[in-house]
Amino acid sequence: MILQRILTRLVTTLITLAGVSVVVFVTIRVVPGNPIAMMLPPGATEADITRLRALYGFDKSILQQYFIWLSGVVQGDFGTSIQSRQPVLRLVLNRLPATLELSIMALVIATALGGLMALTGTRLRGTRTEGAIDVTNGMALSVPDFLWGLVLILLFGVLWPVFHISGRISPQLTSEFSTNFYLFESVLRLRFDLWRDLVSHMFMPALALAIPLAAIIGQLLKQSLKETMHLDYVTLSRTKGYGENHVILREALPNAVLPTLTLIGVQFTFLIGGTVIIERLFSYEGLGNMAIDAVINRDLPLIQGIVILFALLFTAVNLFVDMLYALLNPRLRHA
């Protein structure tokens, strides 16, 4: 049953990626603007324009361009960036670790904050504390992440400067790393001086991304816990003399967490997409920041590569969460 679900999702993933590639390829070519004109100096001749159009394949029809690009993608060639003249795949993979680390940190913060609010609200249900948590969740959801970023910059970057407000790491430390996964590498090498510098740069953008997600997680998990607390096996646990903390953590939470797990997986894909604005706001050197530069410069091959990678990440995360949910849910595992 599980193998069949995996095969079905893989086929669906391939169809989704194919559809995304068509939509993106056509859309960015009908948008006004000439990337070739942006590459040439003011005194360029018509021959120069023609030569560059032929070099990047813009002299062919959209259909021909698409199949040429698709054949390259199948072979691992996403084309060459118009602005930097470097392979798109190399550029994207160089920036991807920074965005993944930022997203994972934001997810960890959001899960911790949301879980804490849900457990506290469930433990103190019916009190003013639960009402205060609900109000806090509403406030967190009503403000978008980029506004939270501006508030954090003002508070902890200007008024009380305890965190860095731009960049990924201090420039003099970049030579210390052999991979682009700076945060993971610093932990594996036990270089906590590098880790502290990275966290000081990443904490505010990660927190800005995490606050709205934490509110969503907190609301859903608290609602699931409140429903689970009325089930028979939880009542039986109380009759055996177990305390409220034991009942919530050991009896109710393992079953209430399954819907939240699915939500976290779906929201993580949106979290990765949300890094675009946050990375720009904090001058964070990730994939989202590069995507904005690519759009501004009309770097079509780079835009295509970034969007396809985002789509691949989204489908991969959703597939992983779907399979994990099937493994953790006994009714689906034994179906």
Side-chain angles (χ1 to χ4, degrees):
M1 179 64 178
I2 294 180
L3 180 59
Q4 182 180 357
R5 288 172 63 89
I6 294 176
L7 293 177
T8 302
R9 288 301 303 270
L10 287 176
V11 173
T12 305
T13 297
L14 292 176
I15 296 174
T16 301
L17 291 176
V20 169
S21 69
V22 172
V23 171
V24 172
F25 195 91
V26 174
T27 301
I28 64 177
R29 276 163 173 74
V30 299
V31 173
N34 186 356
I36 298 298
M38 300 177 66
M39 300 172 57
L40 294 170
T45 64
E46 190 66 31
D48 295 329
I49 297 175
T50 303
R51 180 177 57 82
L52 276 179
R53 284 180 57 83
L55 177 64
Y56 287 95
F58 294 141
D59 58 334
K60 298 179 174 60
S61 67
I62 292 182
L63 187 62
Q64 289 176 308
Q65 292 180 47
Y66 173 75
F67 282 109
I68 292 173
W69 173 76
L70 184 62
S71 64
V73 169
V74 172
Q75 301 173 37
D77 181 11
F78 285 73
T80 303
S81 168
I82 294 176
Q83 289 296 316
S84 65
R85 313 293 202 277
Q86 297 183 44
V88 167
L89 187 59
R90 181 196 304 168
L91 292 172
V92 170
L93 293 181
N94 283 342
R95 290 290 190 97
L96 178 61
T99 297
L100 286 178
E101 288 186 342
L102 178 62
S103 301
I104 292 172
M105 176 179 279
L107 183 66
V108 170
I109 295 174
T111 304
L113 291 177
L116 179 62
M117 289 189 294
L119 292 173
T120 304
T122 303
R123 181 66 179 83
L124 303 176
R125 57 192 179 277
T127 66
R128 292 181 179 179
T129 301
E130 183 186 10
I133 289 175
D134 291 338
V135 171
T136 302
N137 280 338
M139 292 175 58
L141 280 173
S142 63
V143 179
D145 50 20
F146 68 89
L147 285 182
W148 283 118
L150 292 174
V151 171
L152 292 173
I153 289 175
L154 178 62
L155 292 178
F156 301 113
V158 179
L159 298 179
W160 187 31
V162 293
F163 296 106
H164 293 280
I165 62 175
S166 65
R168 183 185 180 193
I169 190 172
S170 299
Q172 67 272 18
L173 298 178
T174 55
S175 60
E176 298 283 345
F177 297 93
S178 56
T179 70
N180 289 324
F181 287 95
Y182 291 175
L183 192 64
F184 296 125
E185 183 180 340
S186 65
V187 173
L188 291 176
R189 293 170 54 190
L190 302 180
R191 289 292 306 274
F192 296 109
D193 55 331
L194 301 178
W195 182 85
R196 282 192 298 270
D197 188 82
L198 285 163
V199 171
S200 179
H201 284 82
M202 294 173 62
F203 181 74
M204 284 202 295
L207 182 59
L209 287 167
I211 290 175
L213 178 57
I216 298 174
I217 293 173
Q219 283 185 344
L220 179 62
L221 182 57
K222 185 165 77 71
Q223 184 62 35
S224 298
L225 282 170
K226 290 179 71 173
E227 293 174 358
T228 307
M229 294 295 287
H230 298 292
L231 298 180
D232 293 340
Y233 70 91
V234 176
T235 304
L236 179 62
S237 181
R238 286 198 184 95
T239 61
K240 292 181 179 179
Y242 291 114
E244 191 68 8
N245 291 334
H246 175 91
V247 170
I248 294 174
L249 296 176
R250 300 295 297 273
E251 304 295 337
L253 184 61
N255 289 282
V257 79
L258 286 177
T260 308
L261 177 64
T262 304
L263 172 77
I264 291 175
V266 173
Q267 289 295 322
F268 181 61
T269 59
F270 291 107
L271 190 69
I272 296 175
T275 60
V276 173
I277 298 178
I278 291 297
E279 285 183 3
R280 195 67 168 186
L281 181 62
F282 287 90
S283 299
Y284 187 81
E285 299 172 359
L287 198 59
N289 206 347
M290 187 170 68
I292 294 179
D293 288 332
V295 171
I296 293 174
N297 296 321
R298 291 278 294 163
D299 195 335
L300 304 189
L302 186 55
I303 296 173
Q304 293 163 188
I306 293 173
V307 173
I308 291 299
L309 180 64
F310 271 128
L312 184 60
L313 283 174
F314 293 166
T315 53
V317 170
N318 286 330
L319 176 63
F320 173 77
V321 172
D322 189 46
M323 296 303 102
L324 184 60
Y325 185 83
L327 290 173
L328 294 178
N329 192 326
R331 288 174 296 181
L332 294 178
R333 187 170 63 245
H334 299 296

PDB file of all heavy atoms in Angstrom, residues 145-175:
ATOM      1  N   ASP A 145       5.338  38.382   7.660  1.00  0.00           N
ATOM      2  CA  ASP A 145       6.702  38.141   8.144  1.00  0.00           C
ATOM      3  C   ASP A 145       7.653  39.301   7.863  1.00  0.00           C
ATOM      4  O   ASP A 145       8.539  39.587   8.671  1.00  0.00           O
ATOM      5  CB  ASP A 145       7.260  36.833   7.567  1.00  0.00           C
ATOM      6  CG  ASP A 145       7.092  36.730   6.062  1.00  0.00           C
ATOM      7  OD1 ASP A 145       6.910  37.768   5.390  1.00  0.00           O
ATOM      8  OD2 ASP A 145       7.118  35.602   5.533  1.00  0.00           O
ATOM      9  N   PHE A 146       7.485  40.005   6.735  1.00  0.00           N
ATOM     10  CA  PHE A 146       8.432  41.083   6.449  1.00  0.00           C
ATOM     11  C   PHE A 146       8.243  42.264   7.410  1.00  0.00           C
ATOM     12  O   PHE A 146       9.207  42.980   7.724  1.00  0.00           O
ATOM     13  CB  PHE A 146       8.324  41.545   4.989  1.00  0.00           C
ATOM     14  CG  PHE A 146       7.045  42.241   4.629  1.00  0.00           C
ATOM     15  CD1 PHE A 146       6.919  43.614   4.769  1.00  0.00           C
ATOM     16  CD2 PHE A 146       5.969  41.516   4.134  1.00  0.00           C
ATOM     17  CE1 PHE A 146       5.743  44.255   4.424  1.00  0.00           C
ATOM     18  CE2 PHE A 146       4.791  42.150   3.792  1.00  0.00           C
ATOM     19  CZ  PHE A 146       4.668  43.517   3.941  1.00  0.00           C
ATOM     20  N   LEU A 147       7.010  42.462   7.906  1.00  0.00           N
ATOM     21  CA  LEU A 147       6.797  43.504   8.910  1.00  0.00           C
ATOM     22  C   LEU A 147       7.396  43.096  10.252  1.00  0.00           C
ATOM     23  O   LEU A 147       7.935  43.938  10.982  1.00  0.00           O
ATOM     24  CB  LEU A 147       5.312  43.806   9.065  1.00  0.00           C
ATOM     25  CG  LEU A 147       4.671  44.630   7.943  1.00  0.00           C
ATOM     26  CD1 LEU A 147       3.209  44.903   8.243  1.00  0.00           C
ATOM     27  CD2 LEU A 147       5.422  45.947   7.740  1.00  0.00           C
ATOM     28  N   TRP A 148       7.291  41.822  10.586  1.00  0.00           N
ATOM     29  CA  TRP A 148       7.981  41.339  11.774  1.00  0.00           C
ATOM     30  C   TRP A 148       9.492  41.559  11.621  1.00  0.00           C
ATOM     31  O   TRP A 148      10.176  41.895  12.603  1.00  0.00           O
ATOM     32  CB  TRP A 148       7.698  39.860  12.007  1.00  0.00           C
ATOM     33  CG  TRP A 148       6.360  39.560  12.604  1.00  0.00           C
ATOM     34  CD1 TRP A 148       5.346  38.827  12.053  1.00  0.00           C
ATOM     35  CD2 TRP A 148       5.873  39.997  13.884  1.00  0.00           C
ATOM     36  NE1 TRP A 148       4.261  38.779  12.892  1.00  0.00           N
ATOM     37  CE2 TRP A 148       4.549  39.487  14.035  1.00  0.00           C
ATOM     38  CE3 TRP A 148       6.416  40.767  14.910  1.00  0.00           C
ATOM     39  CZ2 TRP A 148       3.786  39.715  15.160  1.00  0.00           C
ATOM     40  CZ3 TRP A 148       5.646  41.004  16.040  1.00  0.00           C
ATOM     41  CH2 TRP A 148       4.358  40.478  16.154  1.00  0.00           C
ATOM     42  N   GLY A 149      10.001  41.371  10.415  1.00  0.00           N
ATOM     43  CA  GLY A 149      11.417  41.618  10.173  1.00  0.00           C
ATOM     44  C   GLY A 149      11.803  43.064  10.443  1.00  0.00           C
ATOM     45  O   GLY A 149      12.840  43.341  11.066  1.00  0.00           O
ATOM     46  N   LEU A 150      10.981  44.000   9.985  1.00  0.00           N
ATOM     47  CA  LEU A 150      11.256  45.418  10.231  1.00  0.00           C
ATOM     48  C   LEU A 150      11.215  45.741  11.722  1.00  0.00           C
ATOM     49  O   LEU A 150      12.058  46.502  12.228  1.00  0.00           O
ATOM     50  CB  LEU A 150      10.238  46.284   9.478  1.00  0.00           C
ATOM     51  CG  LEU A 150      10.340  46.270   7.944  1.00  0.00           C
ATOM     52  CD1 LEU A 150       9.181  47.047   7.332  1.00  0.00           C
ATOM     53  CD2 LEU A 150      11.674  46.865   7.495  1.00  0.00           C
ATOM     54  N   VAL A 151      10.239  45.157  12.429  1.00  0.00           N
ATOM     55  CA  VAL A 151      10.143  45.378  13.878  1.00  0.00           C
ATOM     56  C   VAL A 151      11.380  44.832  14.584  1.00  0.00           C
ATOM     57  O   VAL A 151      11.957  45.489  15.473  1.00  0.00           O
ATOM     58  CB  VAL A 151       8.865  44.715  14.430  1.00  0.00           C
ATOM     59  CG1 VAL A 151       8.861  44.750  15.957  1.00  0.00           C
ATOM     60  CG2 VAL A 151       7.622  45.421  13.893  1.00  0.00           C
ATOM     61  N   LEU A 152      11.825  43.639  14.183  1.00  0.00           N
ATOM     62  CA  LEU A 152      13.008  43.040  14.813  1.00  0.00           C
ATOM     63  C   LEU A 152      14.263  43.846  14.522  1.00  0.00           C
ATOM     64  O   LEU A 152      15.130  43.994  15.400  1.00  0.00           O
ATOM     65  CB  LEU A 152      13.175  41.598  14.320  1.00  0.00           C
ATOM     66  CG  LEU A 152      12.095  40.605  14.777  1.00  0.00           C
ATOM     67  CD1 LEU A 152      12.283  39.263  14.087  1.00  0.00           C
ATOM     68  CD2 LEU A 152      12.127  40.433  16.290  1.00  0.00           C
ATOM     69  N   ILE A 153      14.382  44.359  13.314  1.00  0.00           N
ATOM     70  CA  ILE A 153      15.540  45.203  12.981  1.00  0.00           C
ATOM     71  C   ILE A 153      15.560  46.447  13.866  1.00  0.00           C
ATOM     72  O   ILE A 153      16.615  46.862  14.378  1.00  0.00           O
ATOM     73  CB  ILE A 153      15.504  45.596  11.488  1.00  0.00           C
ATOM     74  CG1 ILE A 153      15.824  44.383  10.614  1.00  0.00           C
ATOM     75  CG2 ILE A 153      16.509  46.716  11.196  1.00  0.00           C
ATOM     76  CD1 ILE A 153      15.688  44.654   9.127  1.00  0.00           C
ATOM     77  N   LEU A 154      14.395  47.067  14.048  1.00  0.00           N
ATOM     78  CA  LEU A 154      14.305  48.267  14.873  1.00  0.00           C
ATOM     79  C   LEU A 154      14.652  47.967  16.330  1.00  0.00           C
ATOM     80  O   LEU A 154      15.403  48.721  16.974  1.00  0.00           O
ATOM     81  CB  LEU A 154      12.897  48.854  14.775  1.00  0.00           C
ATOM     82  CG  LEU A 154      12.618  50.105  15.626  1.00  0.00           C
ATOM     83  CD1 LEU A 154      13.517  51.257  15.193  1.00  0.00           C
ATOM     84  CD2 LEU A 154      11.151  50.506  15.531  1.00  0.00           C
ATOM     85  N   LEU A 155      14.107  46.836  16.843  1.00  0.00           N
ATOM     86  CA  LEU A 155      14.303  46.530  18.255  1.00  0.00           C
ATOM     87  C   LEU A 155      15.702  46.018  18.563  1.00  0.00           C
ATOM     88  O   LEU A 155      16.382  46.519  19.463  1.00  0.00           O
ATOM     89  CB  LEU A 155      13.259  45.493  18.706  1.00  0.00           C
ATOM     90  CG  LEU A 155      11.802  45.955  18.761  1.00  0.00           C
ATOM     91  CD1 LEU A 155      10.897  44.803  19.175  1.00  0.00           C
ATOM     92  CD2 LEU A 155      11.635  47.122  19.720  1.00  0.00           C
ATOM     93  N   PHE A 156      16.142  44.982  17.811  1.00  0.00           N
ATOM     94  CA  PHE A 156      17.379  44.288  18.154  1.00  0.00           C
ATOM     95  C   PHE A 156      18.555  44.615  17.236  1.00  0.00           C
ATOM     96  O   PHE A 156      19.637  44.045  17.399  1.00  0.00           O
ATOM     97  CB  PHE A 156      17.138  42.774  18.140  1.00  0.00           C
ATOM     98  CG  PHE A 156      16.067  42.347  19.089  1.00  0.00           C
ATOM     99  CD1 PHE A 156      14.866  41.829  18.622  1.00  0.00           C
ATOM    100  CD2 PHE A 156      16.241  42.467  20.451  1.00  0.00           C
ATOM    101  CE1 PHE A 156      13.863  41.439  19.491  1.00  0.00           C
ATOM    102  CE2 PHE A 156      15.243  42.077  21.340  1.00  0.00           C
ATOM    103  CZ  PHE A 156      14.057  41.560  20.864  1.00  0.00           C
ATOM    104  N   GLY A 157      18.319  45.508  16.277  1.00  0.00           N
ATOM    105  CA  GLY A 157      19.415  45.930  15.423  1.00  0.00           C
ATOM    106  C   GLY A 157      19.761  47.397  15.571  1.00  0.00           C
ATOM    107  O   GLY A 157      20.887  47.809  15.283  1.00  0.00           O
ATOM    108  N   VAL A 158      18.771  48.188  16.027  1.00  0.00           N
ATOM    109  CA  VAL A 158      18.977  49.637  16.158  1.00  0.00           C
ATOM    110  C   VAL A 158      18.890  50.079  17.616  1.00  0.00           C
ATOM    111  O   VAL A 158      19.859  50.595  18.181  1.00  0.00           O
ATOM    112  CB  VAL A 158      17.944  50.411  15.301  1.00  0.00           C
ATOM    113  CG1 VAL A 158      18.144  51.915  15.470  1.00  0.00           C
ATOM    114  CG2 VAL A 158      18.067  50.018  13.830  1.00  0.00           C
ATOM    115  N   LEU A 159      17.716  49.877  18.238  1.00  0.00           N
ATOM    116  CA  LEU A 159      17.536  50.331  19.621  1.00  0.00           C
ATOM    117  C   LEU A 159      18.387  49.525  20.602  1.00  0.00           C
ATOM    118  O   LEU A 159      18.955  50.077  21.545  1.00  0.00           O
ATOM    119  CB  LEU A 159      16.047  50.228  20.000  1.00  0.00           C
ATOM    120  CG  LEU A 159      15.086  51.098  19.178  1.00  0.00           C
ATOM    121  CD1 LEU A 159      13.655  50.890  19.640  1.00  0.00           C
ATOM    122  CD2 LEU A 159      15.474  52.573  19.284  1.00  0.00           C
ATOM    123  N   TRP A 160      18.430  48.227  20.404  1.00  0.00           N
ATOM    124  CA  TRP A 160      19.222  47.348  21.266  1.00  0.00           C
ATOM    125  C   TRP A 160      20.024  46.412  20.371  1.00  0.00           C
ATOM    126  O   TRP A 160      19.633  45.287  20.113  1.00  0.00           O
ATOM    127  CB  TRP A 160      18.302  46.564  22.201  1.00  0.00           C
ATOM    128  CG  TRP A 160      19.026  45.757  23.232  1.00  0.00           C
ATOM    129  CD1 TRP A 160      20.220  46.041  23.819  1.00  0.00           C
ATOM    130  CD2 TRP A 160      18.594  44.505  23.802  1.00  0.00           C
ATOM    131  NE1 TRP A 160      20.576  45.070  24.712  1.00  0.00           N
ATOM    132  CE2 TRP A 160      19.590  44.113  24.729  1.00  0.00           C
ATOM    133  CE3 TRP A 160      17.466  43.706  23.636  1.00  0.00           C
ATOM    134  CZ2 TRP A 160      19.492  42.944  25.466  1.00  0.00           C
ATOM    135  CZ3 TRP A 160      17.374  42.535  24.373  1.00  0.00           C
ATOM    136  CH2 TRP A 160      18.368  42.158  25.282  1.00  0.00           C
ATOM    137  N   PRO A 161      21.159  46.872  19.859  1.00  0.00           N
ATOM    138  CA  PRO A 161      21.890  46.130  18.817  1.00  0.00           C
ATOM    139  C   PRO A 161      22.608  44.887  19.346  1.00  0.00           C
ATOM    140  O   PRO A 161      23.800  44.919  19.655  1.00  0.00           O
ATOM    141  CB  PRO A 161      22.886  47.167  18.289  1.00  0.00           C
ATOM    142  CG  PRO A 161      23.102  48.102  19.429  1.00  0.00           C
ATOM    143  CD  PRO A 161      21.814  48.144  20.188  1.00  0.00           C
ATOM    144  N   VAL A 162      21.881  43.806  19.443  1.00  0.00           N
ATOM    145  CA  VAL A 162      22.471  42.554  19.925  1.00  0.00           C
ATOM    146  C   VAL A 162      22.642  41.531  18.802  1.00  0.00           C
ATOM    147  O   VAL A 162      23.346  40.532  18.978  1.00  0.00           O
ATOM    148  CB  VAL A 162      21.616  41.943  21.053  1.00  0.00           C
ATOM    149  CG1 VAL A 162      21.658  42.821  22.281  1.00  0.00           C
ATOM    150  CG2 VAL A 162      20.181  41.730  20.595  1.00  0.00           C
ATOM    151  N   PHE A 163      21.999  41.752  17.642  1.00  0.00           N
ATOM    152  CA  PHE A 163      22.123  40.845  16.509  1.00  0.00           C
ATOM    153  C   PHE A 163      22.535  41.638  15.271  1.00  0.00           C
ATOM    154  O   PHE A 163      22.287  42.843  15.167  1.00  0.00           O
ATOM    155  CB  PHE A 163      20.802  40.119  16.224  1.00  0.00           C
ATOM    156  CG  PHE A 163      20.348  39.212  17.327  1.00  0.00           C
ATOM    157  CD1 PHE A 163      19.287  39.568  18.152  1.00  0.00           C
ATOM    158  CD2 PHE A 163      20.978  37.999  17.541  1.00  0.00           C
ATOM    159  CE1 PHE A 163      18.862  38.744  19.169  1.00  0.00           C
ATOM    160  CE2 PHE A 163      20.558  37.155  18.567  1.00  0.00           C
ATOM    161  CZ  PHE A 163      19.508  37.523  19.379  1.00  0.00           C
ATOM    162  N   HIS A 164      23.160  40.941  14.337  1.00  0.00           N
ATOM    163  CA  HIS A 164      23.492  41.549  13.051  1.00  0.00           C
ATOM    164  C   HIS A 164      22.210  41.726  12.233  1.00  0.00           C
ATOM    165  O   HIS A 164      21.300  40.894  12.296  1.00  0.00           O
ATOM    166  CB  HIS A 164      24.481  40.688  12.270  1.00  0.00           C
ATOM    167  CG  HIS A 164      25.839  40.608  12.912  1.00  0.00           C
ATOM    168  ND1 HIS A 164      26.769  41.609  12.793  1.00  0.00           N
ATOM    169  CD2 HIS A 164      26.405  39.645  13.687  1.00  0.00           C
ATOM    170  CE1 HIS A 164      27.870  41.268  13.452  1.00  0.00           C
ATOM    171  NE2 HIS A 164      27.669  40.084  14.005  1.00  0.00           N
ATOM    172  N   ILE A 165      22.144  42.789  11.452  1.00  0.00           N
ATOM    173  CA  ILE A 165      20.932  43.062  10.672  1.00  0.00           C
ATOM    174  C   ILE A 165      21.117  42.801   9.187  1.00  0.00           C
ATOM    175  O   ILE A 165      20.174  42.990   8.413  1.00  0.00           O
ATOM    176  CB  ILE A 165      20.447  44.510  10.885  1.00  0.00           C
ATOM    177  CG1 ILE A 165      21.506  45.499  10.403  1.00  0.00           C
ATOM    178  CG2 ILE A 165      20.098  44.753  12.337  1.00  0.00           C
ATOM    179  CD1 ILE A 165      21.047  46.952  10.469  1.00  0.00           C
ATOM    180  N   SER A 166      22.290  42.366   8.769  1.00  0.00           N
ATOM    181  CA  SER A 166      22.483  42.084   7.338  1.00  0.00           C
ATOM    182  C   SER A 166      23.575  41.046   7.162  1.00  0.00           C
ATOM    183  O   SER A 166      24.462  40.883   8.010  1.00  0.00           O
ATOM    184  CB  SER A 166      22.858  43.362   6.569  1.00  0.00           C
ATOM    185  OG  SER A 166      24.121  43.844   6.989  1.00  0.00           O
ATOM    186  N   GLY A 167      23.502  40.340   6.037  1.00  0.00           N
ATOM    187  CA  GLY A 167      24.507  39.345   5.705  1.00  0.00           C
ATOM    188  C   GLY A 167      24.233  37.993   6.338  1.00  0.00           C
ATOM    189  O   GLY A 167      23.317  37.828   7.156  1.00  0.00           O
ATOM    190  N   ARG A 168      25.045  37.021   5.952  1.00  0.00           N
ATOM    191  CA  ARG A 168      24.925  35.666   6.485  1.00  0.00           C
ATOM    192  C   ARG A 168      25.995  35.372   7.525  1.00  0.00           C
ATOM    193  O   ARG A 168      25.772  34.622   8.470  1.00  0.00           O
ATOM    194  CB  ARG A 168      25.028  34.655   5.334  1.00  0.00           C
ATOM    195  CG  ARG A 168      24.844  33.209   5.750  1.00  0.00           C
ATOM    196  CD  ARG A 168      25.088  32.253   4.592  1.00  0.00           C
ATOM    197  NE  ARG A 168      24.910  30.865   4.995  1.00  0.00           N
ATOM    198  CZ  ARG A 168      25.296  29.822   4.268  1.00  0.00           C
ATOM    199  NH1 ARG A 168      25.867  30.021   3.083  1.00  0.00           N
ATOM    200  NH2 ARG A 168      25.110  28.592   4.705  1.00  0.00           N
ATOM    201  N   ILE A 169      27.175  35.969   7.336  1.00  0.00           N
ATOM    202  CA  ILE A 169      28.299  35.750   8.244  1.00  0.00           C
ATOM    203  C   ILE A 169      29.249  36.922   8.081  1.00  0.00           C
ATOM    204  O   ILE A 169      29.248  37.605   7.048  1.00  0.00           O
ATOM    205  CB  ILE A 169      29.013  34.416   7.930  1.00  0.00           C
ATOM    206  CG1 ILE A 169      30.022  34.063   9.025  1.00  0.00           C
ATOM    207  CG2 ILE A 169      29.664  34.441   6.557  1.00  0.00           C
ATOM    208  CD1 ILE A 169      30.632  32.678   8.880  1.00  0.00           C
ATOM    209  N   SER A 170      30.052  37.177   9.083  1.00  0.00           N
ATOM    210  CA  SER A 170      31.052  38.243   8.996  1.00  0.00           C
ATOM    211  C   SER A 170      32.019  37.934   7.859  1.00  0.00           C
ATOM    212  O   SER A 170      32.482  36.789   7.737  1.00  0.00           O
ATOM    213  CB  SER A 170      31.809  38.377  10.322  1.00  0.00           C
ATOM    214  OG  SER A 170      30.909  38.712  11.374  1.00  0.00           O
ATOM    215  N   PRO A 171      32.330  38.927   7.011  1.00  0.00           N
ATOM    216  CA  PRO A 171      33.145  38.664   5.798  1.00  0.00           C
ATOM    217  C   PRO A 171      34.480  37.990   6.077  1.00  0.00           C
ATOM    218  O   PRO A 171      34.934  37.162   5.284  1.00  0.00           O
ATOM    219  CB  PRO A 171      33.337  40.072   5.210  1.00  0.00           C
ATOM    220  CG  PRO A 171      32.187  40.871   5.731  1.00  0.00           C
ATOM    221  CD  PRO A 171      31.897  40.329   7.098  1.00  0.00           C
ATOM    222  N   GLN A 172      35.119  38.301   7.186  1.00  0.00           N
ATOM    223  CA  GLN A 172      36.448  37.741   7.453  1.00  0.00           C
ATOM    224  C   GLN A 172      36.409  36.260   7.815  1.00  0.00           C
ATOM    225  O   GLN A 172      37.453  35.607   7.879  1.00  0.00           O
ATOM    226  CB  GLN A 172      37.135  38.518   8.580  1.00  0.00           C
ATOM    227  CG  GLN A 172      36.487  38.369   9.950  1.00  0.00           C
ATOM    228  CD  GLN A 172      35.396  39.392  10.198  1.00  0.00           C
ATOM    229  OE1 GLN A 172      34.894  40.006   9.257  1.00  0.00           O
ATOM    230  NE2 GLN A 172      35.053  39.578  11.454  1.00  0.00           N
ATOM    231  N   LEU A 173      35.214  35.706   8.011  1.00  0.00           N
ATOM    232  CA  LEU A 173      35.089  34.304   8.425  1.00  0.00           C
ATOM    233  C   LEU A 173      34.691  33.369   7.293  1.00  0.00           C
ATOM    234  O   LEU A 173      34.646  32.164   7.494  1.00  0.00           O
ATOM    235  CB  LEU A 173      34.059  34.171   9.557  1.00  0.00           C
ATOM    236  CG  LEU A 173      34.375  34.906  10.859  1.00  0.00           C
ATOM    237  CD1 LEU A 173      33.244  34.714  11.863  1.00  0.00           C
ATOM    238  CD2 LEU A 173      35.692  34.417  11.458  1.00  0.00           C
ATOM    239  N   THR A 174      34.378  33.905   6.119  1.00  0.00           N
ATOM    240  CA  THR A 174      33.898  33.045   5.026  1.00  0.00           C
ATOM    241  C   THR A 174      34.950  32.037   4.577  1.00  0.00           C
ATOM    242  O   THR A 174      34.614  30.951   4.114  1.00  0.00           O
ATOM    243  CB  THR A 174      33.480  33.901   3.829  1.00  0.00           C
ATOM    244  OG1 THR A 174      34.568  34.758   3.440  1.00  0.00           O
ATOM    245  CG2 THR A 174      32.271  34.766   4.181  1.00  0.00           C
ATOM    246  N   SER A 175      36.219  32.375   4.719  1.00  0.00           N
ATOM    247  CA  SER A 175      37.287  31.465   4.273  1.00  0.00           C
ATOM    248  C   SER A 175      37.454  30.270   5.207  1.00  0.00           C
ATOM    249  O   SER A 175      38.222  29.350   4.899  1.00  0.00           O
ATOM    250  CB  SER A 175      38.615  32.220   4.171  1.00  0.00           C
ATOM    251  OG  SER A 175      38.975  32.770   5.430  1.00  0.00           O
TER     252      SER A 175
END
